[in-house]
Amino acid sequence: MRIKSALAAVAVVALAAACGSGGGDTGDSSGGSGEPVKLDFLSLAWQKESVEANKAIVEEWNKANPEIQVTYVQGSWDNVNDQLVTSFEGGDAPDVFHDDSPALAGFASKGYLLDLKDKLPASLQNDIPQAAWDTVTFDDGSGDQGVFGVPFLQESQVIIANKKLLTEAGVRMPTPAEPWTWNEFADASKKLTKGDTYGVAWPMKSPVNKVLNLALNFDGTFFQTAGGKTTVKVGPEEKAVLQRIHDQLYKDKTADPAALGMGTADPLPGFFADKYAMLPVGVYLRQQVAEQAPDGFEWVTLPPLKGTTSNQGAVSQTLSVSADSEHQEQAIQFMSFFLNGKNQARLAKGDWLLPTSQEAASDPSITGQEDGWDVATASAKDLVVAPFLKVNGYDEWKSKVATPVLQEFFANKVTLDEAAKRLVEEGNEVLERYQR
């Protein structure tokens, strides 16, 4: 999921001032006092279109439900989890809050979140596929599995390509029904590499999630659990994507090594200048391409690649209810309205991401060909829960082990076998501390 700055300092004050209820649900829409129930909703929307959609949905709810009034609180991805921990421990957490699924496991184990299992309306439960619910299903701290959020937005990896260069190279245009295999992608990259143009740029400033999600194309999971113990695994399945990217960089020379240190959007100037023909990136980057492309520049969204499977790992943006909310029933009612199919389509369009709602995924506003929405939305069918989502200690493994090792490997400073050895040995030392 993207993490962007959005008025972080203001959000700290707003969250503390706006949130706080504590206790349990009275079950009375008016709270038993004749006054409207008041809920605080912490949103992490940051793009203009997304913020507008969030606020509009809250306003629509408030107009239709005078007995349950929701206050919109603007938060920031930069520091939301630190804010929430402080709020949970201080007893003044928002009733409903926006986050992403990796954060929920820790909150759930500490009892901060309401278990939504068997509490949501059937219409919402049935509209969202089980693979998405898996991203919010965690141990509740007592050994039982609970559902601690409603997943509503996800991200896939697609390829954004220069249409003119593809046409000139005479490569087959892939479709969601017939995507490129990784071999076809490598061949296309060779045909597109000529003169000052590279076939592809791999921005790998933050390589870990991208690599782990794409590794599922070859059934690579990077983690295995046996006897209740999780260890790092780097075998042929995990090495497949690593080797293929490395080959493009140093064997085929179809990928520009200078792009490795770039963030996701950094190659765009080169893309617009025909330096790079293709960019394997998150689906949300289509927004910046659409907004920044020079007049007359034609681009297309190509579907995710296929290895032995088309699977990609996914995490979800989520809404959850605080366990200490005084109005849990009303919070669930609001959340269910906020995330119905019609509204999920609006939220997905505002964030240029994929809705989990099957109703939303068929909405004409996000299924047309313009800006690659048809290809983007179709890619949701291949998303499965990212294996690392359930790994205790993953964040430390990612930051202290995997990121530096993968950066060295892609910079051609260590071999694949050396990288694999370090990922496993150093990684298991990290994970061991979390399993004692």
Side-chain angles (χ1 to χ4, degrees):
M1 286 292 128
R2 291 166 295 165
I3 298 181
K4 298 289 184 181
S5 298
L7 303 175
V10 174
V12 175
V13 177
L15 181 60
C19 304
S21 24
D25 194 349
T26 66
D28 181 353
S29 292
S30 67
S33 66
E35 296 294 323
V37 166
K38 295 182 179 179
L39 302 175
D40 294 315
F41 167 47
L42 176 68
S43 169
L44 302 181
W46 61 274
Q47 298 188 88
K48 182 176 182 290
E49 290 179 46
S50 182
V51 171
E52 289 174 351
N54 273 253
K55 289 183 175 180
I57 295 171
V58 170
E59 184 177 351
E60 290 164 13
W61 167 270
N62 285 338
K63 285 183 178 179
N65 297 273
E67 75 285 0
I68 306 172
Q69 293 293 286
V70 176
T71 298
Y72 179 94
V73 182
Q74 184 64 61
S76 164
W77 284 107
D78 273 356
N79 54 9
V80 63
N81 291 325
D82 289 339
Q83 290 178 40
L84 285 170
V85 168
T86 300
S87 298
F88 289 138
E89 293 179 350
D92 59 355
D95 299 279
V96 179
F97 66 90
H98 182 183
D99 209 327
D100 61 15
S101 49
L104 302 188
F107 292 158
S109 67
K110 294 177 181 177
Y112 294 152
L113 308 182
L114 177 67
D115 184 356
L116 300 172
K117 185 170 58 180
D118 302 325
K119 295 182 174 68
L120 298 169
S123 57
L124 182 61
Q125 293 183 59
N126 296 335
D127 190 31
I128 296 174
Q130 185 58 45
W133 287 116
D134 289 344
T135 66
V136 294
T137 302
F138 301 101
D139 191 309
D140 64 3
S142 67
D144 294 328
Q145 295 290 298
V147 175
F148 294 100
V150 179
F152 69 102
L153 292 177
Q154 295 182 324
E155 174 189 331
S156 64
Q157 296 289 315
V158 294
I159 298 171
I160 294 176
N162 182 316
K163 185 177 181 180
K164 175 176 71 74
L165 295 181
L166 288 179
T167 301
E168 291 175 352
V171 299
R172 178 180 77 85
M173 196 70 73
T175 66
E178 295 186 58
W180 277 344
T181 65
W182 276 83
N183 288 341
E184 287 180 287
F185 173 56
D187 290 342
S189 298
K190 292 174 184 176
K191 293 178 181 178
L192 290 161
T193 300
K194 58 178 66 176
D196 295 329
T197 300
Y198 283 95
V200 61
W202 284 99
M204 288 289 192
K205 184 177 181 180
S206 302
V208 183
N209 283 13
K210 180 189 288 284
V211 166
L212 268 60
N213 288 335
L214 291 176
L216 285 169
N217 283 177
F218 296 93
D219 296 315
T221 62
F222 279 88
F223 298 99
Q224 57 189 357
T225 300
K229 182 177 181 180
T230 300
T231 55
V232 182
K233 168 182 173 286
V234 186
E237 298 87 354
E238 289 74 25
K239 290 179 178 179
V241 162
L242 292 171
Q243 186 65 65
R244 288 169 184 271
I245 296 173
H246 193 275
D247 283 350
Q248 288 192 316
L249 289 161
Y250 302 107
K251 180 183 175 183
D252 302 339
K253 300 187 186 303
T254 56
D256 184 7
L260 287 171
M262 295 182 180
T264 300
D266 293 339
L268 285 182
F271 178 64
F272 296 141
D274 291 354
K275 183 176 182 180
Y276 310 124
M278 298 185 292
L279 303 177
V281 291
V283 69
Y284 65 86
L285 194 70
R286 295 172 302 123
Q287 179 186 23
Q288 287 171 266
V289 177
E291 293 176 348
Q292 298 175 20
D295 291 342
F297 183 86
E298 292 187 277
W299 59 280
V300 292
T301 302
L302 306 182
L305 300 174
K306 182 177 182 180
T308 54
T309 78
S310 297
N311 289 346
Q312 290 191 34
V315 298
S316 304
Q317 289 189 32
T318 59
L319 291 191
S320 297
V321 176
S322 303
D324 283 345
S325 171
E326 197 172 83
H327 306 293
Q328 295 174 357
E329 181 180 327
Q330 293 89 342
I332 291 173
Q333 291 173 23
F334 164 70
M335 186 168 63
S336 300
F337 169 81
F338 192 89
L339 297 181
N340 67 32
K342 175 186 173 183
N343 289 335
Q344 275 204 42
R346 298 161 70 183
L347 296 168
K349 190 168 180 64
D351 256 330
W352 293 68
L353 291 170
L354 310 177
T356 59
S357 161
Q358 296 171 90
E359 179 186 341
S362 63
D363 190 291
S365 68
I366 57 171
T367 54
Q369 294 183 3
E370 186 177 3
D371 297 329
W373 272 109
D374 55 339
V375 174
T377 304
S379 69
K381 71 182 187 304
D382 296 319
L383 294 177
V384 299
V385 61
F388 60 80
L389 192 59
K390 311 290 184 176
V391 175
N392 198 10
Y394 169 75
D395 286 342
E396 184 177 346
W397 177 80
K398 173 184 173 181
S399 62
K400 293 185 177 179
V401 179
T403 295
V405 169
L406 291 182
Q407 287 175 338
E408 287 181 41
F409 170 68
F410 288 129
N412 210 27
K413 294 180 180 179
V414 296
T415 67
L416 180 54
D417 287 341
E418 290 169 339
K421 186 173 186 289
R422 287 176 57 189
L423 288 170
V424 171
E425 292 181 354
E426 297 174 25
N428 285 339
E429 289 178 5
V430 170
L431 298 189
E432 179 69 27
R433 293 199 299 273
Y434 288 84
Q435 302 179 80
R436 290 171 183 166

